[in-house]
Amino acid sequence: MSIEGGRIKKELLETFDAVYISNSGQTFEKKSLVPLNMIANNLVDLAQSCNLAEFTCLEKVLQDAIDKNNVLSRRILPLAVVDELWAIAMTNDGSGATMEMEECEANAIDSRCRSALCIISALMQCRVIGRTLSDEDTLD
């Protein structure tokens, strides 16, 4: 990757972090995450607004965001957000009541359920999620 490409990628990840993951208005040194359920909802809302080409780009951003070996040398998307995405995927009717997997598959017409599953799928393509997690990985 060229130096300019690395700078662009770094700016993209920092902006993604500021808009969708961290509380806005805080410096990168002293920032806090928004609650995990809000991060998951932010990502689902974003995915719902994407066309196929945009979602393809979002997949790469998500994979870089969850990989602690990215250009920022830190994971900006907590692994625990995957649990929140599963909760959204399994709550198809908006009532908060979870469904069995078969029911979710049968009712997968709900766009929030579908978007959450697409995000999980994108994250599963990243080697960080696909391997056994160490204690260090589960803490951030």
Side-chain angles (χ1 to χ4, degrees):
M1 176 185 314
S2 70
I3 294 172
E4 185 63 25
R7 278 188 235 148
I8 293 169
K9 196 171 192 179
K10 182 178 179 183
E11 283 294 320
L12 174 70
L13 285 174
E14 287 176 344
T15 302
F16 184 81
D17 182 19
V19 172
Y20 294 102
I21 300 169
S22 299
N23 283 322
S24 57
Q26 297 189 356
T27 65
F28 289 109
E29 294 81 31
K30 291 188 120 189
K31 66 177 183 173
S32 62
L33 297 177
V34 297
L36 292 174
N37 64 330
M38 287 181 64
I39 294 172
N41 280 306
N42 287 344
L43 295 176
V44 168
D45 291 343
L46 177 61
Q48 283 185 290
S49 68
C50 289
N51 62 34
L52 182 58
E54 293 165 338
F55 189 80
T56 302
C57 295
L58 178 60
E59 281 182 322
K60 180 61 178 150
V61 173
L62 289 169
Q63 290 166 6
D64 285 343
I66 206 159
D67 186 357
K68 65 181 166 189
N69 297 318
N70 62 33
V71 294
L72 299 177
S73 299
R74 64 183 170 86
R75 179 177 294 130
I76 61 173
L77 184 61
L79 294 174
V81 81
V82 174
D83 292 334
E84 296 296 330
L85 290 165
W86 272 117
I88 293 170
M90 302 306 283
T91 309
N92 198 20
D93 63 359
S95 68
T98 59
M99 300 183 300
E100 296 298 322
M101 182 61 90
E102 297 80 21
E103 187 180 357
C104 185
E105 290 170 356
N107 296 316
I109 57 172
D110 179 74
S111 65
R112 288 190 63 76
C113 175
R114 185 173 46 249
S115 294
L117 290 171
C118 286
I119 294 167
I120 292 167
S121 175
L123 294 173
M124 291 302 290
Q125 294 175 32
C126 183
R127 66 184 177 352
V128 174
I129 299 295
R131 65 175 169 77
T132 303
L133 299 173
S134 68
D135 291 337
E136 177 186 327
D137 288 331
T138 60
L139 296 175
D140 49 352

